[in-house]
Amino acid sequence: MNLEGRIVRLRAVEPEDAELLYAWENDTSVWSVSGTTEPFSRAQMERFIAAQLQGGDLFRTGQLRLIVETRAEAPRPVGIADLFEFDPLNRRAGLGILIHDDALRGKGYASDAVETACRYACEVLNLHQLWCNVGSDNAPSRRLFAKAGFAEVGVKRDWLWRPGGYGDEILLQKILG
């Protein structure tokens, strides 16, 4: 499955992505936005990928991880898009996005990936809404989701612990139709 945006493609995770996911998931500099609290093993990454390849679809597992890759002549992975906590009864899911390399942020990859994921959620999955949680101190992500039509609908006070203390988390949602 390939979901085409203007400059990125969202594609299914492949076995050859195991080493890349292992590196990204174990990068402690992104743990504060991913909610990760402990390292993943290569074997865990390989099992995760195998489960997705063996019918681990969104309707069964509640999660769909997609690789964000460039649409250039020589495509390269730049990040991850996740649909999670899929709720088919209420037709909603959470959306997470990570462009891993700092040097690749601000180039439109995340914006195009979010737009493409929203289109897929609406047109293919027939979802009514997407939501996400963003730390109040994460101005780039708040701008990204606001630009994509997500509205800030709530604040969870002192929700996120970080080494400097507690911070608020913003709940954003987008009604798709």
Side-chain angles (χ1 to χ4, degrees), residues 97-109:
I97 183 83
L98 171 70
I99 302 301
H100 183 263
D101 186 344
D102 282 340
L104 297 175
R105 294 180 187 154
K107 300 198 179 300
Y109 298 134

Side-chain angles (χ1 to χ4, degrees), residues 20-38:
L20 183 64
L21 289 176
Y22 172 77
W24 287 352
E25 292 285 0
N26 287 308
D27 180 353
T28 58
S29 73
V30 297
W31 281 12
S32 66
V33 295
S34 69
T36 303
T37 58
E38 59 190 48

